[in-house]
Amino acid sequence: LFALPQLNFKDYTARTTIKPDGTATLHLDFVASAAANVAGRLLAPDGRSAGDFEVALSADGRGSSELVVSHPQLWTAESPWLYRLELELTSAGKAVQKFTDRIGLRQVTIEGGIFKLNGTPIKLRGVDHHDIWPEGRVATEERMRRDLELIRGANINFIRTSHYPPHPRLIEMCDEMGIYVDEEVPYIHGRENLKKSDYQDALLTRARATVMRDKNRPSVIFWSCGNENSITKLGNNTAKCVKELDPTRPVTFP
């Protein structure tokens, strides 16, 4: 439980485009509760400044900015470089809220049927991950980190979350350690309702909650719509919703 000022950040989105000349453009979209100004700074993994920006948000609290990084340290499983994004929301010359996040500069594409990260084909060797341990189901950081260390030690670079929202810290550790993630939009529980029209809102609610929470995590390279469920109109509508919320990642139907 935490308190926010009346004027506050509602959402932000960070997306990266890698240019042929090797530069990276960081696209930033902001949503605040009202008109305000955003001042931002991007710090490279070594702590040095990678750029600053300012943007005035419109009356409905929305605005965008772009930052070009000339020599980007791109995020991959082999080089999980993380930048520090510092944001400050100001009004009438006063800072009302500050927010920081760690992001990765990287771009996912499919070209000619080949999956690429930052323009380079990659191979995925993966396993499912469940929040289950011999001691129980409580997801402590120690248990999650131990899982990921075992996974990396087995030369696995890819996990799929199953079958509920993963602990946010699990995804953050995948960012840090360099593990690709296919994050499940969880509707395996309730899949017997996938042909009932009144179940659509529940699926869209789960899709929005999943994507909006983890869309800025560089380790997430796919969204998984359900698990081993039949393909139905409701599921296709859910996938379309995911693609509208985040057009930068492929959607899978495992």
Side-chain angles (χ1 to χ4, degrees):
L1 180 65
F2 58 95
L4 291 173
Q6 185 173 1
L7 176 60
N8 57 76
F9 283 112
K10 294 292 186 183
D11 185 38
Y12 98 93
T13 304
R15 295 171 179 164
T16 305
T17 301
I18 310 299
K19 299 295 181 65
D21 62 3
T23 63
T25 301
L26 178 62
H27 309 270
L28 295 162
D29 297 309
F30 303 102
V31 182
S33 55
N37 294 312
V38 176
R41 180 170 68 154
L42 185 68
L43 299 178
D46 62 3
R48 291 183 293 179
S49 175
D52 302 274
F53 61 90
E54 291 187 10
V55 57
L57 306 185
S58 60
D60 62 355
R62 296 178 180 272
S64 301
S65 184
E66 290 187 350
L67 186 64
V68 176
V69 181
S70 56
H71 299 287
Q73 293 175 275
L74 300 180
W75 189 96
T76 71
E78 291 75 31
S79 59
W81 299 110
L82 293 175
Y83 284 70
R84 179 182 175 88
L85 180 63
E86 298 181 346
L87 303 175
E88 184 176 80
L89 192 66
T90 64
S91 179
K94 294 184 178 181
V96 295
Q97 186 184 8
K98 294 182 179 181
F99 176 78
T100 64
D101 198 7
R102 293 188 303 166
I103 63 172
L105 302 183
R106 64 105 181 96
Q107 183 179 19
V108 171
T109 56
I110 296 178
E111 302 173 28
I114 298 174
F115 181 78
K116 296 182 179 182
L117 185 72
N118 306 326
T120 301
I122 62 173
K123 290 187 177 181
L124 302 173
R125 298 176 176 86
V127 293
D128 289 334
H129 180 270
H130 286 275
D131 291 341
I132 300 174
W133 294 270
E135 301 85 0
R137 289 180 175 266
V138 177
T140 66
E141 178 157 348
E142 180 183 11
R143 291 173 181 173
M144 292 187 292
R145 184 175 296 279
R146 176 61 173 158
D147 276 358
L148 297 179
E149 288 173 347
L150 289 169
I151 286 169
R152 285 302 304 267
N155 202 31
I156 292 166
N157 66 355
F158 179 49
I159 66 169
R160 178 170 162 270
T161 62
S162 325
H163 298 292
Y164 31 77
H167 193 294
R169 186 70 187 115
L170 178 77
I171 306 299
E172 291 173 356
M173 284 192 283
C174 289
D175 291 348
E176 298 165 6
M177 299 172 66
I179 297 176
Y180 302 119
V181 179
D182 185 4
E183 184 167 344
E184 183 176 332
V185 175
Y187 57 85
I188 178 177
H189 301 293
R191 61 186 175 187
E192 66 277 6
N193 300 314
L194 288 178
K195 294 184 179 180
K196 300 178 182 178
S197 60
D198 58 357
Y199 196 60
Q200 184 72 82
D201 285 347
L203 297 179
L204 297 179
T205 296
R206 297 181 192 186
R208 293 188 188 102
T210 303
V211 174
M212 297 302 284
R213 191 191 76 174
D214 292 335
K215 62 183 176 179
N216 295 321
R217 304 277 60 83
S219 58
V220 178
I221 57 173
F222 300 110
W223 300 113
S224 161
C225 284
N227 171 71
E228 298 179 4
N229 38 262
S230 56
I231 303 300
T232 68
K233 181 179 179 180
L234 271 66
N236 287 336
N237 290 341
T238 305
K240 290 177 183 177
C241 174
V242 170
K243 287 296 288 186
E244 289 172 359
L245 291 169
D246 176 20
T248 70
R249 294 176 175 92
V251 173
T252 67
F253 287 91

